[in-house]
Amino acid sequence: MVLARLWGGFRSQPVTVPLLSCLCTRMLRKVLHRGLRNCFSRLGFFIASHPVFFISAPVLISILLGASFSRYRVEENIEYLLAPKHSLAKIERNLVDSLFPVNRSKHRLYSDLQTPGWYGRVIITSSRRANMLDQHHTDLILKLHSAVKKIQVHRPGFNYTFAHICMLSNQKTCIVDDIIHILEELKAARSQNRTNYIITYPITMLKDGKEVYNGHQLGGVTVHSKDQVKSAEAIQLTYYLQAINSLNEVVSEKWETNFCETVESFQKLNREVKLYPFTSSSLGQDFQKTSRVSERYLITSLALVVSLAVICCSMQDCVRSKPWLGLLGLVTISLSTLTAAGIINLTGGKYNSTFLGIPFIILGHGLYGTFEMLSSWRKTREDQHVKERTAVVYADTMISFTLTTAMYLVTFGIGASPFTNIEAARIFCRNSCIAIFFNYLYVLSFYGSSLVFTGYIENNYQHSIFCRKVPKPEILQVKSLWYRFLMTAKFCDDTADAEETNSYESHLLVCFLKRYYCDWITNTYVKPFVILFYLVYISFALMGYLQVHEGSDLRNIVATETRTITYTTVQQKYFSNYSPVIGFYIYESIDYWNTSVQEDVLEYTKGFVRISWFESYLNYLRKLNVSTGLPKKNFTDILRYSFLKTPRYAHFSEDIIIPKKYNNNVEVVASRMFLVAKTMETNREELYDLLETLRKLSLTSKVKFIVFNPSFVYMDRYALSIGAPLQNSCISALFLLFSSAFLVANSIINVWITLTVVSVEFGVIGFMTLWKVELDCISMLCLIYGINYTIDNCAPLISTFILGKEFSRTKWVKNSLEVHGVAILQSYLCYTVGMIPLAAVPSNLTRTLFRCLFLIAFVTFFHCFAILPVILAFVPPSKKKRKEKKIPENFEEIECVEMVDLASTRVVDQITTV
């Protein structure tokens, strides 16, 4: 009943619960909104009263934290950054490592069977597509092999060669690729004038009767009948190194560096062949190389942004021009980035190349905040004191800037949570949160204080650049032409004139929007073309969205002119006939003598090329059982007999079957074979499908087995791991938008913001796919940023339009563009110009970063200046012909009037009852 008396007109009518709830909600929104405005107004007044402290503190904090760069470290573990943190493949790898010794996993040298470890690898081809098995090229390859074995690593007191750090066989000799033995036997046959030496593909037999797999060592193969090799256009050699202690790792790392130098030197001496070296550390080095090659481009970007920001803040009026604020806005962003980097260094964080995107995230958010404050300053009355003008600026801009900053912190905070399975994405989101938080504080303090100082310069009619007192027009007339040009300013001596006219309307962008663009975009004949253009936009976005696919190719994150790119390109060209070798591990004790078990095992691997002795060994066991007359169930005796009496199969006790001995009896607990799938083109999607198929088979099979290849660690659940940060961020953003509905004056604002974000993100994903950008870690982080960037730019426009009353929709569309359009346009121009140098960086990572950020900025700009002004002009809420309700006689209206004491520059709140 109190509410009924307060709002009037309801004393004689029943007051329903929904009506009371609606009234309470509206009152709560207004109270909170006014309370926040009042708090930020007082904060602005307080900062304007102590500008020296608030401009000095951020600088001192940044300098102190920036000194921590002595602790600067780089993260070199690529698997830690880019492989899913929690995956079944890592569990499978631990199981394989526990069953089979790592040092013996290289005995067969089947393309990194368990763990890559330390290695050097080189692909040899000819520029004329010659046969690499002819006599000349065979001699060159063996000569290169000899040079590699002679590589020395100098350490205090000893010189290490390949023989000291190589993987050792049972005979304590270095294990080398079987292709070396093939080439040596081929050379020996030619020296003896024997022409009957035959090499088959992909499995061949050596002189000692040993079958070896050469599918990953011979490339570009042309075969005769019966798989006999006629020619091979490429040969791949691999040299595996030990890593048994820290000293061995240091020596191996140095050996890899010398290996690349040796190969490059050999290339210079033998121009007829092309060599493509690659090592275990090449991927990490090429990933971090992006940071080094980007340095001069980032400097160029900074120079362009500074220049354009100064131009955007300048105008012909030398008093009201604010070029220093354009520069100081970028200084604010730089200080926040430096502070965040200092905190990262002090907390033990390590740098990686994905951090290149953080300055651009801060740039997009910080630029709009600073330009919005400057735009609000231009709307204040010039006859007010600087402190009062600053208070008005904070009251007008800081509510929206605080809410958008909170949105950044929530979305990136969710990305930094343990729910994110990709460590690179989690670290990126965490550091982005730190940088955004300090950017918010520094905009409040440092940039606000800078605004105060430039305000005093303006109030004293001093030149905005030289701080020299500007003479009045009558004195200026007698000066030279160039002096008058530099000192042009408008004097407003009359207070009434100052209130009626706005001296900032001479600004180029303000004039453009107010006089030309607003009338053009709201023209009746323009709107249909905008709607048609939006439909075309949706059509192309849908076409791209339907083609989107996840990308787990590690080449997308490295610099372009690197060993990783050249090596993997050549490898896919010549060695894509067969998939990477997949280990097939049986981890239970089964009856290997049982024919049905043997048939089950061979059935599961049907369709693959079995490159181990396992199948022939099973057949051998069956024959051995018959020839020795042993009972079928006495399988331990068969094993013991085969291991002791048959040297040809004795190596199975080490490489294929793991025996346990109890009272001189042998029990098989695990076994393995190696599979290769015949493919036309090896790609990540095909290999991932193969992995999932084999895993599903392992769940339903009678025999317990797992499959593993080191590349599975990067691909396992990669799509889910990549999509989780974006999905969680979208959910958190929607939750924050709807939960904060009571903080805004009208909940319809949040609905429109949500629809705009969906439209922008949908378009960015679609056009990103059409621009050949895959959905990987970098693009996902950009999409998370796109949510916030859209809210940053579109929320003020929507809010101003929704809250407008009394006039038509078209009028409020124009008013929204006039109030916020200049800040959006200024930040967009500076942000886009800053991204342009990224397009020239020779790196796939920065290419993805540029394309995603450019699409986000362009699509958001398209919505702010085309889509929203047209759509809002003819959709609810209606504004035209709104009639005021008649006020009943018993109605009491409470009005909060803000009184300003000009003498003491104090803000006093006075409540007046009408």
Side-chain angles (χ1 to χ4, degrees), residues 50-77:
H50 308 85
V52 177
F53 171 78
F54 285 102
I55 203 172
S56 303
V59 176
L60 293 176
I61 294 174
S62 300
I63 292 175
L64 291 175
L65 292 176
S68 65
F69 269 91
S70 58
R71 300 187 178 185
Y72 171 85
R73 293 182 300 169
V74 176
E75 180 60 65
E76 298 178 352
N77 190 342

PDB file of all heavy atoms in Angstrom, residues 50-77:
ATOM      1  N   HIS A  50      43.516  15.143  -6.817  1.00  0.00           N
ATOM      2  CA  HIS A  50      44.874  14.642  -6.542  1.00  0.00           C
ATOM      3  C   HIS A  50      45.481  14.069  -7.820  1.00  0.00           C
ATOM      4  O   HIS A  50      45.842  12.885  -7.872  1.00  0.00           O
ATOM      5  CB  HIS A  50      44.843  13.579  -5.447  1.00  0.00           C
ATOM      6  CG  HIS A  50      44.128  14.006  -4.207  1.00  0.00           C
ATOM      7  ND1 HIS A  50      42.766  13.894  -4.065  1.00  0.00           N
ATOM      8  CD2 HIS A  50      44.597  14.564  -3.049  1.00  0.00           C
ATOM      9  CE1 HIS A  50      42.411  14.341  -2.865  1.00  0.00           C
ATOM     10  NE2 HIS A  50      43.504  14.760  -2.225  1.00  0.00           N
ATOM     11  N   PRO A  51      45.605  14.839  -8.867  1.00  0.00           N
ATOM     12  CA  PRO A  51      46.066  14.282 -10.153  1.00  0.00           C
ATOM     13  C   PRO A  51      47.517  13.846 -10.149  1.00  0.00           C
ATOM     14  O   PRO A  51      47.884  12.900 -10.850  1.00  0.00           O
ATOM     15  CB  PRO A  51      45.827  15.426 -11.134  1.00  0.00           C
ATOM     16  CG  PRO A  51      45.893  16.658 -10.299  1.00  0.00           C
ATOM     17  CD  PRO A  51      45.334  16.287  -8.962  1.00  0.00           C
ATOM     18  N   VAL A  52      48.369  14.516  -9.360  1.00  0.00           N
ATOM     19  CA  VAL A  52      49.798  14.181  -9.365  1.00  0.00           C
ATOM     20  C   VAL A  52      50.019  12.777  -8.818  1.00  0.00           C
ATOM     21  O   VAL A  52      50.798  11.983  -9.382  1.00  0.00           O
ATOM     22  CB  VAL A  52      50.591  15.213  -8.541  1.00  0.00           C
ATOM     23  CG1 VAL A  52      52.066  14.821  -8.480  1.00  0.00           C
ATOM     24  CG2 VAL A  52      50.449  16.600  -9.143  1.00  0.00           C
ATOM     25  N   PHE A  53      49.315  12.434  -7.756  1.00  0.00           N
ATOM     26  CA  PHE A  53      49.473  11.100  -7.171  1.00  0.00           C
ATOM     27  C   PHE A  53      48.993  10.014  -8.135  1.00  0.00           C
ATOM     28  O   PHE A  53      49.676   9.008  -8.343  1.00  0.00           O
ATOM     29  CB  PHE A  53      48.698  11.016  -5.854  1.00  0.00           C
ATOM     30  CG  PHE A  53      48.623   9.626  -5.296  1.00  0.00           C
ATOM     31  CD1 PHE A  53      49.705   9.074  -4.631  1.00  0.00           C
ATOM     32  CD2 PHE A  53      47.473   8.854  -5.455  1.00  0.00           C
ATOM     33  CE1 PHE A  53      49.641   7.779  -4.118  1.00  0.00           C
ATOM     34  CE2 PHE A  53      47.396   7.569  -4.949  1.00  0.00           C
ATOM     35  CZ  PHE A  53      48.488   7.039  -4.275  1.00  0.00           C
ATOM     36  N   PHE A  54      47.818  10.244  -8.717  1.00  0.00           N
ATOM     37  CA  PHE A  54      47.228   9.202  -9.567  1.00  0.00           C
ATOM     38  C   PHE A  54      47.923   9.079 -10.918  1.00  0.00           C
ATOM     39  O   PHE A  54      47.748   8.063 -11.597  1.00  0.00           O
ATOM     40  CB  PHE A  54      45.738   9.481  -9.781  1.00  0.00           C
ATOM     41  CG  PHE A  54      44.901   9.165  -8.579  1.00  0.00           C
ATOM     42  CD1 PHE A  54      44.462  10.180  -7.742  1.00  0.00           C
ATOM     43  CD2 PHE A  54      44.588   7.868  -8.261  1.00  0.00           C
ATOM     44  CE1 PHE A  54      43.697   9.889  -6.632  1.00  0.00           C
ATOM     45  CE2 PHE A  54      43.821   7.560  -7.146  1.00  0.00           C
ATOM     46  CZ  PHE A  54      43.376   8.580  -6.319  1.00  0.00           C
ATOM     47  N   ILE A  55      48.696  10.067 -11.312  1.00  0.00           N
ATOM     48  CA  ILE A  55      49.465   9.908 -12.549  1.00  0.00           C
ATOM     49  C   ILE A  55      50.854   9.345 -12.269  1.00  0.00           C
ATOM     50  O   ILE A  55      51.496   8.772 -13.159  1.00  0.00           O
ATOM     51  CB  ILE A  55      49.564  11.255 -13.294  1.00  0.00           C
ATOM     52  CG1 ILE A  55      49.825  11.008 -14.787  1.00  0.00           C
ATOM     53  CG2 ILE A  55      50.668  12.134 -12.721  1.00  0.00           C
ATOM     54  CD1 ILE A  55      49.752  12.256 -15.634  1.00  0.00           C
ATOM     55  N   SER A  56      51.331   9.506 -11.040  1.00  0.00           N
ATOM     56  CA  SER A  56      52.677   9.031 -10.697  1.00  0.00           C
ATOM     57  C   SER A  56      52.683   7.583 -10.250  1.00  0.00           C
ATOM     58  O   SER A  56      53.606   6.826 -10.564  1.00  0.00           O
ATOM     59  CB  SER A  56      53.278   9.912  -9.591  1.00  0.00           C
ATOM     60  OG  SER A  56      53.321  11.259  -9.977  1.00  0.00           O
ATOM     61  N   ALA A  57      51.644   7.182  -9.498  1.00  0.00           N
ATOM     62  CA  ALA A  57      51.629   5.830  -8.942  1.00  0.00           C
ATOM     63  C   ALA A  57      51.689   4.745 -10.015  1.00  0.00           C
ATOM     64  O   ALA A  57      52.493   3.807  -9.909  1.00  0.00           O
ATOM     65  CB  ALA A  57      50.390   5.658  -8.055  1.00  0.00           C
ATOM     66  N   PRO A  58      50.884   4.800 -11.084  1.00  0.00           N
ATOM     67  CA  PRO A  58      50.997   3.754 -12.113  1.00  0.00           C
ATOM     68  C   PRO A  58      52.368   3.694 -12.769  1.00  0.00           C
ATOM     69  O   PRO A  58      52.854   2.602 -13.094  1.00  0.00           O
ATOM     70  CB  PRO A  58      49.917   4.149 -13.134  1.00  0.00           C
ATOM     71  CG  PRO A  58      48.940   4.958 -12.365  1.00  0.00           C
ATOM     72  CD  PRO A  58      49.756   5.711 -11.366  1.00  0.00           C
ATOM     73  N   VAL A  59      52.990   4.858 -12.962  1.00  0.00           N
ATOM     74  CA  VAL A  59      54.315   4.868 -13.590  1.00  0.00           C
ATOM     75  C   VAL A  59      55.335   4.191 -12.685  1.00  0.00           C
ATOM     76  O   VAL A  59      56.146   3.362 -13.139  1.00  0.00           O
ATOM     77  CB  VAL A  59      54.742   6.318 -13.909  1.00  0.00           C
ATOM     78  CG1 VAL A  59      56.158   6.336 -14.471  1.00  0.00           C
ATOM     79  CG2 VAL A  59      53.774   6.954 -14.894  1.00  0.00           C
ATOM     80  N   LEU A  60      55.311   4.498 -11.394  1.00  0.00           N
ATOM     81  CA  LEU A  60      56.261   3.896 -10.459  1.00  0.00           C
ATOM     82  C   LEU A  60      56.037   2.392 -10.336  1.00  0.00           C
ATOM     83  O   LEU A  60      56.995   1.604 -10.323  1.00  0.00           O
ATOM     84  CB  LEU A  60      56.131   4.570  -9.089  1.00  0.00           C
ATOM     85  CG  LEU A  60      56.554   6.046  -9.019  1.00  0.00           C
ATOM     86  CD1 LEU A  60      56.285   6.605  -7.626  1.00  0.00           C
ATOM     87  CD2 LEU A  60      58.026   6.200  -9.371  1.00  0.00           C
ATOM     88  N   ILE A  61      54.771   1.976 -10.264  1.00  0.00           N
ATOM     89  CA  ILE A  61      54.475   0.543 -10.164  1.00  0.00           C
ATOM     90  C   ILE A  61      54.960  -0.197 -11.406  1.00  0.00           C
ATOM     91  O   ILE A  61      55.554  -1.284 -11.314  1.00  0.00           O
ATOM     92  CB  ILE A  61      52.963   0.332  -9.957  1.00  0.00           C
ATOM     93  CG1 ILE A  61      52.528   0.884  -8.604  1.00  0.00           C
ATOM     94  CG2 ILE A  61      52.609  -1.149 -10.061  1.00  0.00           C
ATOM     95  CD1 ILE A  61      51.031   0.850  -8.393  1.00  0.00           C
ATOM     96  N   SER A  62      54.732   0.388 -12.572  1.00  0.00           N
ATOM     97  CA  SER A  62      55.157  -0.261 -13.818  1.00  0.00           C
ATOM     98  C   SER A  62      56.670  -0.367 -13.904  1.00  0.00           C
ATOM     99  O   SER A  62      57.208  -1.382 -14.352  1.00  0.00           O
ATOM    100  CB  SER A  62      54.614   0.523 -15.012  1.00  0.00           C
ATOM    101  OG  SER A  62      53.209   0.580 -14.994  1.00  0.00           O
ATOM    102  N   ILE A  63      57.373   0.681 -13.471  1.00  0.00           N
ATOM    103  CA  ILE A  63      58.842   0.646 -13.518  1.00  0.00           C
ATOM    104  C   ILE A  63      59.384  -0.421 -12.570  1.00  0.00           C
ATOM    105  O   ILE A  63      60.299  -1.190 -12.917  1.00  0.00           O
ATOM    106  CB  ILE A  63      59.414   2.031 -13.181  1.00  0.00           C
ATOM    107  CG1 ILE A  63      59.070   3.029 -14.295  1.00  0.00           C
ATOM    108  CG2 ILE A  63      60.935   1.962 -12.985  1.00  0.00           C
ATOM    109  CD1 ILE A  63      59.488   4.452 -13.986  1.00  0.00           C
ATOM    110  N   LEU A  64      58.813  -0.489 -11.358  1.00  0.00           N
ATOM    111  CA  LEU A  64      59.294  -1.469 -10.390  1.00  0.00           C
ATOM    112  C   LEU A  64      59.033  -2.898 -10.858  1.00  0.00           C
ATOM    113  O   LEU A  64      59.905  -3.767 -10.769  1.00  0.00           O
ATOM    114  CB  LEU A  64      58.610  -1.227  -9.040  1.00  0.00           C
ATOM    115  CG  LEU A  64      59.009   0.064  -8.308  1.00  0.00           C
ATOM    116  CD1 LEU A  64      58.176   0.251  -7.043  1.00  0.00           C
ATOM    117  CD2 LEU A  64      60.492   0.057  -7.961  1.00  0.00           C
ATOM    118  N   LEU A  65      57.848  -3.147 -11.368  1.00  0.00           N
ATOM    119  CA  LEU A  65      57.536  -4.490 -11.838  1.00  0.00           C
ATOM    120  C   LEU A  65      58.240  -4.804 -13.152  1.00  0.00           C
ATOM    121  O   LEU A  65      58.580  -5.960 -13.423  1.00  0.00           O
ATOM    122  CB  LEU A  65      56.024  -4.645 -12.011  1.00  0.00           C
ATOM    123  CG  LEU A  65      55.199  -4.623 -10.727  1.00  0.00           C
ATOM    124  CD1 LEU A  65      53.713  -4.686 -11.038  1.00  0.00           C
ATOM    125  CD2 LEU A  65      55.593  -5.771  -9.812  1.00  0.00           C
ATOM    126  N   GLY A  66      58.466  -3.778 -13.974  1.00  0.00           N
ATOM    127  CA  GLY A  66      59.174  -4.002 -15.226  1.00  0.00           C
ATOM    128  C   GLY A  66      60.614  -4.409 -15.022  1.00  0.00           C
ATOM    129  O   GLY A  66      61.225  -5.031 -15.909  1.00  0.00           O
ATOM    130  N   ALA A  67      61.174  -4.086 -13.844  1.00  0.00           N
ATOM    131  CA  ALA A  67      62.552  -4.493 -13.557  1.00  0.00           C
ATOM    132  C   ALA A  67      62.681  -5.997 -13.389  1.00  0.00           C
ATOM    133  O   ALA A  67      63.799  -6.527 -13.360  1.00  0.00           O
ATOM    134  CB  ALA A  67      63.049  -3.781 -12.302  1.00  0.00           C
ATOM    135  N   SER A  68      61.563  -6.700 -13.294  1.00  0.00           N
ATOM    136  CA  SER A  68      61.614  -8.153 -13.112  1.00  0.00           C
ATOM    137  C   SER A  68      61.924  -8.890 -14.400  1.00  0.00           C
ATOM    138  O   SER A  68      61.916 -10.126 -14.412  1.00  0.00           O
ATOM    139  CB  SER A  68      60.269  -8.647 -12.557  1.00  0.00           C
ATOM    140  OG  SER A  68      59.235  -8.436 -13.507  1.00  0.00           O
ATOM    141  N   PHE A  69      62.192  -8.176 -15.503  1.00  0.00           N
ATOM    142  CA  PHE A  69      62.509  -8.856 -16.752  1.00  0.00           C
ATOM    143  C   PHE A  69      63.841  -9.590 -16.695  1.00  0.00           C
ATOM    144  O   PHE A  69      64.193 -10.306 -17.623  1.00  0.00           O
ATOM    145  CB  PHE A  69      62.503  -7.856 -17.904  1.00  0.00           C
ATOM    146  CG  PHE A  69      61.163  -7.736 -18.584  1.00  0.00           C
ATOM    147  CD1 PHE A  69      60.245  -6.794 -18.152  1.00  0.00           C
ATOM    148  CD2 PHE A  69      60.812  -8.576 -19.616  1.00  0.00           C
ATOM    149  CE1 PHE A  69      59.013  -6.682 -18.768  1.00  0.00           C
ATOM    150  CE2 PHE A  69      59.574  -8.482 -20.231  1.00  0.00           C
ATOM    151  CZ  PHE A  69      58.672  -7.525 -19.809  1.00  0.00           C
ATOM    152  N   SER A  70      64.592  -9.399 -15.613  1.00  0.00           N
ATOM    153  CA  SER A  70      65.795 -10.214 -15.432  1.00  0.00           C
ATOM    154  C   SER A  70      65.429 -11.675 -15.207  1.00  0.00           C
ATOM    155  O   SER A  70      66.266 -12.571 -15.366  1.00  0.00           O
ATOM    156  CB  SER A  70      66.604  -9.687 -14.244  1.00  0.00           C
ATOM    157  OG  SER A  70      65.814  -9.699 -13.067  1.00  0.00           O
ATOM    158  N   ARG A  71      64.166 -11.932 -14.837  1.00  0.00           N
ATOM    159  CA  ARG A  71      63.691 -13.299 -14.628  1.00  0.00           C
ATOM    160  C   ARG A  71      62.937 -13.822 -15.846  1.00  0.00           C
ATOM    161  O   ARG A  71      62.205 -14.805 -15.745  1.00  0.00           O
ATOM    162  CB  ARG A  71      62.765 -13.352 -13.407  1.00  0.00           C
ATOM    163  CG  ARG A  71      63.433 -12.904 -12.121  1.00  0.00           C
ATOM    164  CD  ARG A  71      62.510 -13.141 -10.939  1.00  0.00           C
ATOM    165  NE  ARG A  71      63.129 -12.775  -9.684  1.00  0.00           N
ATOM    166  CZ  ARG A  71      62.580 -12.975  -8.484  1.00  0.00           C
ATOM    167  NH1 ARG A  71      61.392 -13.563  -8.404  1.00  0.00           N
ATOM    168  NH2 ARG A  71      63.198 -12.599  -7.393  1.00  0.00           N
ATOM    169  N   TYR A  72      63.087 -13.166 -16.942  1.00  0.00           N
ATOM    170  CA  TYR A  72      62.388 -13.543 -18.174  1.00  0.00           C
ATOM    171  C   TYR A  72      62.819 -14.934 -18.618  1.00  0.00           C
ATOM    172  O   TYR A  72      63.997 -15.236 -18.737  1.00  0.00           O
ATOM    173  CB  TYR A  72      62.704 -12.515 -19.265  1.00  0.00           C
ATOM    174  CG  TYR A  72      62.224 -12.877 -20.638  1.00  0.00           C
ATOM    175  CD1 TYR A  72      60.932 -12.581 -21.029  1.00  0.00           C
ATOM    176  CD2 TYR A  72      63.062 -13.497 -21.558  1.00  0.00           C
ATOM    177  CE1 TYR A  72      60.479 -12.897 -22.302  1.00  0.00           C
ATOM    178  CE2 TYR A  72      62.626 -13.816 -22.832  1.00  0.00           C
ATOM    179  CZ  TYR A  72      61.335 -13.512 -23.190  1.00  0.00           C
ATOM    180  OH  TYR A  72      60.893 -13.824 -24.451  1.00  0.00           O
ATOM    181  N   ARG A  73      61.834 -15.815 -18.830  1.00  0.00           N
ATOM    182  CA  ARG A  73      62.101 -17.180 -19.276  1.00  0.00           C
ATOM    183  C   ARG A  73      61.119 -17.544 -20.384  1.00  0.00           C
ATOM    184  O   ARG A  73      60.026 -16.990 -20.469  1.00  0.00           O
ATOM    185  CB  ARG A  73      61.973 -18.174 -18.123  1.00  0.00           C
ATOM    186  CG  ARG A  73      63.026 -18.034 -17.041  1.00  0.00           C
ATOM    187  CD  ARG A  73      62.841 -19.096 -15.974  1.00  0.00           C
ATOM    188  NE  ARG A  73      61.538 -19.004 -15.347  1.00  0.00           N
ATOM    189  CZ  ARG A  73      61.036 -19.945 -14.535  1.00  0.00           C
ATOM    190  NH1 ARG A  73      61.735 -21.037 -14.284  1.00  0.00           N
ATOM    191  NH2 ARG A  73      59.844 -19.794 -13.992  1.00  0.00           N
ATOM    192  N   VAL A  74      61.527 -18.488 -21.206  1.00  0.00           N
ATOM    193  CA  VAL A  74      60.722 -18.931 -22.339  1.00  0.00           C
ATOM    194  C   VAL A  74      60.310 -20.378 -22.115  1.00  0.00           C
ATOM    195  O   VAL A  74      61.138 -21.214 -21.728  1.00  0.00           O
ATOM    196  CB  VAL A  74      61.495 -18.778 -23.662  1.00  0.00           C
ATOM    197  CG1 VAL A  74      60.693 -19.330 -24.825  1.00  0.00           C
ATOM    198  CG2 VAL A  74      61.862 -17.318 -23.900  1.00  0.00           C
ATOM    199  N   GLU A  75      59.052 -20.675 -22.365  1.00  0.00           N
ATOM    200  CA  GLU A  75      58.558 -22.052 -22.262  1.00  0.00           C
ATOM    201  C   GLU A  75      58.923 -22.807 -23.539  1.00  0.00           C
ATOM    202  O   GLU A  75      58.490 -22.445 -24.633  1.00  0.00           O
ATOM    203  CB  GLU A  75      57.038 -22.052 -22.069  1.00  0.00           C
ATOM    204  CG  GLU A  75      56.433 -23.433 -21.953  1.00  0.00           C
ATOM    205  CD  GLU A  75      56.992 -24.224 -20.789  1.00  0.00           C
ATOM    206  OE1 GLU A  75      56.765 -23.811 -19.629  1.00  0.00           O
ATOM    207  OE2 GLU A  75      57.678 -25.238 -21.047  1.00  0.00           O
ATOM    208  N   GLU A  76      59.717 -23.857 -23.392  1.00  0.00           N
ATOM    209  CA  GLU A  76      60.203 -24.604 -24.548  1.00  0.00           C
ATOM    210  C   GLU A  76      59.487 -25.935 -24.743  1.00  0.00           C
ATOM    211  O   GLU A  76      59.704 -26.605 -25.747  1.00  0.00           O
ATOM    212  CB  GLU A  76      61.711 -24.848 -24.401  1.00  0.00           C
ATOM    213  CG  GLU A  76      62.525 -23.550 -24.363  1.00  0.00           C
ATOM    214  CD  GLU A  76      63.999 -23.809 -24.174  1.00  0.00           C
ATOM    215  OE1 GLU A  76      64.353 -24.994 -23.909  1.00  0.00           O
ATOM    216  OE2 GLU A  76      64.799 -22.869 -24.279  1.00  0.00           O
ATOM    217  N   ASN A  77      58.667 -26.315 -23.785  1.00  0.00           N
ATOM    218  CA  ASN A  77      57.967 -27.609 -23.878  1.00  0.00           C
ATOM    219  C   ASN A  77      56.675 -27.412 -24.669  1.00  0.00           C
ATOM    220  O   ASN A  77      55.666 -26.922 -24.145  1.00  0.00           O
ATOM    221  CB  ASN A  77      57.673 -28.133 -22.468  1.00  0.00           C
ATOM    222  CG  ASN A  77      57.181 -29.557 -22.485  1.00  0.00           C
ATOM    223  OD1 ASN A  77      56.736 -30.075 -23.519  1.00  0.00           O
ATOM    224  ND2 ASN A  77      57.260 -30.225 -21.351  1.00  0.00           N
TER     225      ASN A  77
END
